């Protein structure tokens, strides 16, 4: 199976090869509900929008408090505006800033999680390629698939069969018709 791209629309058809990695920038979901069961992205989005609302609101409250202090005639009015506008505005601004910071940390954590998954997938592919190339002899023959017999046994195994992996007395099976095939490795 292979993935093909139609030239007119650029859409991909078919399925990916078993060893192929997904392309960068593609999403695995259908796109109908991108935040469903994706709590880290939902947390990032909520933190971002709460910060986007609270931070400018705090700045507006500070400016309203300043306007109230500047236009107040009596000292007790100035104190009320300074407390309500200044401290409440600072609190809202700092809370909004911390929520922005939390959204940024959630984004970094999500990016690190995705990078770790891509790295793990790449390492698995690399390990598979390395193990396959190590199993090839100089002539390009897959030595792990050669049928062998352990000692004077009557069962044919693959060389990489788990039942005979510890044995050192392996011999090529040849064309003996009296040998039976292993039920584990199925040579």
């Amino acid at each position: 199976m292979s993935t093909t791209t139609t030239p007119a629309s650029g859409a991909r058809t078919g399925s990916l090869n078993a060893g192929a990695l997904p392309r960068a920038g593609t999403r695995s979901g259908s796109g109908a509900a991108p935040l469903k069961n994706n709590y880290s992205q939902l947390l990032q989005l909520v933190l971002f929008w709460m910060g986007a609302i609270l931070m400018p609101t705090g700045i507006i409250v500070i400016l309203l408090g300043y306007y109230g202090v500047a236009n107040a005639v009596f000292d007790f009015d100035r104190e009320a505006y300074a407390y309500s506008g200044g401290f409440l505005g600072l609190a809202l601004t700092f809370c909004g800033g911390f929520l922005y910071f939390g959204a940024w940390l959630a984004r970094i954590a999500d990016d690190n999680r995705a990078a770790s998954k891509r790295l793990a997938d790449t390492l698995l592919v690399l390990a598979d390629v390395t193990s396959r190339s190590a199993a090839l002899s100089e002539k390009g023959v897959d030595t792990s698939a050669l049928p062998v017999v352990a000692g004077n046994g009557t069962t044919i195994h693959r060389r990489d069969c788990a039942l005979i992996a510890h044995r050192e007395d392996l011999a090529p099976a040849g064309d003996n018709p009296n040998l039976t095939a292993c039920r584990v490795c199925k040579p």
Side-chain angles (χ1 to χ4, degrees):
M1 298 181 160
S2 64
T3 302
T4 58
T5 305
T6 57
S9 65
R12 294 166 45 126
T13 59
S15 63
L16 293 174
N17 290 334
L21 292 175
R23 296 180 62 132
T26 60
R27 292 188 178 172
S28 60
S30 65
L35 296 179
K36 184 177 181 180
N37 297 330
N38 191 354
Y39 299 113
S40 64
Q41 191 173 7
L42 182 63
L43 174 69
Q44 176 195 352
L45 194 64
V46 167
L47 289 174
F48 174 79
W49 282 109
M50 290 298 293
I53 292 169
L54 287 179
M55 197 174 211
T57 303
I59 292 172
I60 290 171
V61 169
I62 290 172
L63 292 175
L64 288 175
Y66 174 75
Y67 180 76
V69 168
N71 293 325
V73 177
F74 301 107
D75 285 338
F76 62 88
D77 283 341
R78 289 186 185 126
E79 289 176 6
Y81 281 119
Y83 291 137
S84 65
F87 293 131
L88 179 64
L90 281 174
L92 289 175
T93 303
F94 277 110
C95 285
F98 283 124
L99 290 174
Y100 265 135
F101 182 68
W104 178 66
L105 289 178
R107 173 75 183 257
I108 288 174
D110 193 38
D111 288 347
N112 284 341
R113 188 178 304 114
S116 295
K117 184 169 177 14
R118 282 193 311 267
L119 179 64
D121 290 344
T122 304
L123 287 175
L124 285 174
V125 169
L126 181 63
D128 184 48
V129 168
T130 304
S131 67
R132 287 181 189 220
S133 68
L136 294 178
S137 67
E138 296 84 28
K139 297 178 183 176
V141 177
D142 187 6
T143 58
S144 64
L146 293 176
V148 295
V149 176
N152 293 327
T154 60
T155 306
I156 300 174
H157 298 275
R158 286 174 50 113
R159 187 174 295 268
D160 60 350
C161 181
L163 297 176
I164 60 165
H166 64 282
R167 307 259 323 236
E168 295 182 16
D169 59 342
L170 301 177
D175 293 331
N176 189 349
N178 297 331
L179 298 175
T180 59
C182 175
R183 291 183 286 173
V184 175
C185 64
K186 298 179 178 86

